[in-house]
Amino acid sequence: MKKFFDSIVKGILTCSGFITSIVILLIIVFLFTEGSGLFKNKIIEEGYVLVLNKTNDVKELNAEQIRGIFDEDITNWQEVGGKNMPIKTFRLEDIPAYFSEEELGSEYENAGPLIVQLVEHTPGIVAFVPQVFISENADVNYIADNTIPLKDVFGGKEWFPTATPSPLFGILPLLAGTLWVSIFAILFALPFGLSVSIYMSEVASDRIRRILKPVIELLNGIPSVVYGFFGLIVIVPLLQKVFNLPVGESGLAGSIVLAIMALPTIITVAEDAMRSCPREMREASLALGATQWQTIYRVVIPYSSSGITSGIVLGIGRAIGETMAVLMVTGNAAVIPHTILEPLRTIPATIAAELGEAPSGGPHYQALFLLGVVLFFITLIINLSVEYISSKNR
């Protein structure tokens, strides 16, 4: 009977582990499938075309050039490899400026031929119009509508997924914001976390340790939105006043909030690693004439270095993956930050802020899943680092 019961328990545990592994694998496959779908989309918005005059020999434009043209940052075709002539942009909403309601018809049935005629007689024009408006025999040129290239995504410096006629999916600002906030958070958290862990492990009495340890571990259970609210009410106004900033929401505010959130992890892991140092090593150091502080930084810390490093790396993982607290205090500006006092945006905050508004299955939706893939690889690298450090310790 006991063997039968053990077999049932073993089978349940095996099935549970197998099902869990399959579910995790399917989630990863779904994440990669949705993210890679971005590169099958076209640069120009679906259903639209960019039409040029027949004399214009420009064949291809990337997303940033298209944005520059329609934002009037680029005003001459020579700047994008064409002839020396001024650029004139045309969108569908501009049509009343060129044609009357009588010419267009009551249901805009004449809009297509009129737009074609306008393009044919205006050498420097570029028209962003629905593809159905342009007849097959129209004497015009088209900007090639290629698929979104890898370099425009991973090397792009602008994140503007709702831009028209061509959305921008450059992830460099988001990646830079994520790494910048995380690095400064660890720089703030590391000295405090290491100091507290040394105090709790080597200096504090058992009574103080029994009080502090549950309190510190309790900090891990506080919801991140509470930390974000604290940062928004206390830290952001303080930074704005101290540094005389136009707005207090900045990378520095996010770093401080994340440092506070990472402290419990660093303290707990580092303190446990230090307490695992054998008592004989401490006594041997003291017997040779070393002071308590010499024993700490020459014996205990070197012995516990792998555990301390693991705590630091786990703290980095907490900082990189945090969403709500960062979303509330960093300003959410999708630009590459040049100083820590500037507003920025992180990858998790972008996913949280935009996924609800992105049309399901569209390029914006797939770009957010691609950000999830990037975050997955960052987390994977951190986890592999922890495993490598732990294996060295063993």
Side-chain angles (χ1 to χ4, degrees), residues 3-130:
K3 290 183 178 180
F4 178 72
F5 180 75
D6 290 343
S7 299
I8 292 177
V9 172
K10 183 179 178 180
I12 292 174
L13 293 176
T14 302
C15 290
S16 176
F18 178 76
I19 293 172
T20 303
S21 301
I22 291 297
V23 170
I24 293 174
L25 182 62
L26 290 176
I27 291 173
I28 294 173
V29 171
F30 174 74
L31 184 67
F32 276 75
T33 303
E34 290 292 330
S36 62
L38 174 66
F39 303 105
K40 299 177 184 178
N41 288 284
K42 301 293 186 179
I43 293 177
I44 303 171
E45 188 176 339
E46 186 178 1
Y48 286 78
V49 290
L50 289 178
V51 189
L52 306 177
N53 183 270
K54 193 68 175 179
T55 60
N56 197 332
D57 55 1
V58 175
K59 302 297 182 183
E60 293 186 4
L61 293 172
N62 60 38
E64 289 189 6
Q65 290 173 329
I66 294 173
R67 182 203 61 79
I69 288 173
F70 280 86
D71 286 351
E72 299 183 358
D73 295 328
I74 300 174
T75 58
N76 194 294
W77 286 108
Q78 196 172 24
E79 299 178 52
V80 290
K83 298 178 181 178
N84 183 16
M85 56 181 173
I87 297 175
K88 188 177 185 61
T89 59
F90 176 86
R91 296 176 184 262
L92 194 60
E93 55 264 30
D94 299 329
I95 200 168
Y98 292 89
F99 309 106
S100 64
E101 292 184 4
E102 291 77 12
E103 291 176 308
L104 293 170
S106 58
E107 297 182 358
Y108 275 40
E109 63 270 14
N110 301 324
L114 291 174
I115 291 173
V116 171
Q117 183 181 2
L118 175 66
V119 173
E120 289 176 345
H121 291 85
T122 312
I125 197 170
V126 53
F128 172 60
V129 293

Side-chain angles (χ1 to χ4, degrees), residues 140-172:
V140 295
N141 284 344
Y142 296 90
I143 294 294
D145 194 7
N146 301 319
T147 55
I148 298 173
L150 280 168
K151 63 181 181 64
D152 284 3
V153 175
F154 293 101
K157 298 180 180 180
E158 292 186 74
W159 174 266
F160 195 177
T162 58
T164 56
S166 180
L168 299 168
F169 298 108
I171 68 171
L172 278 184

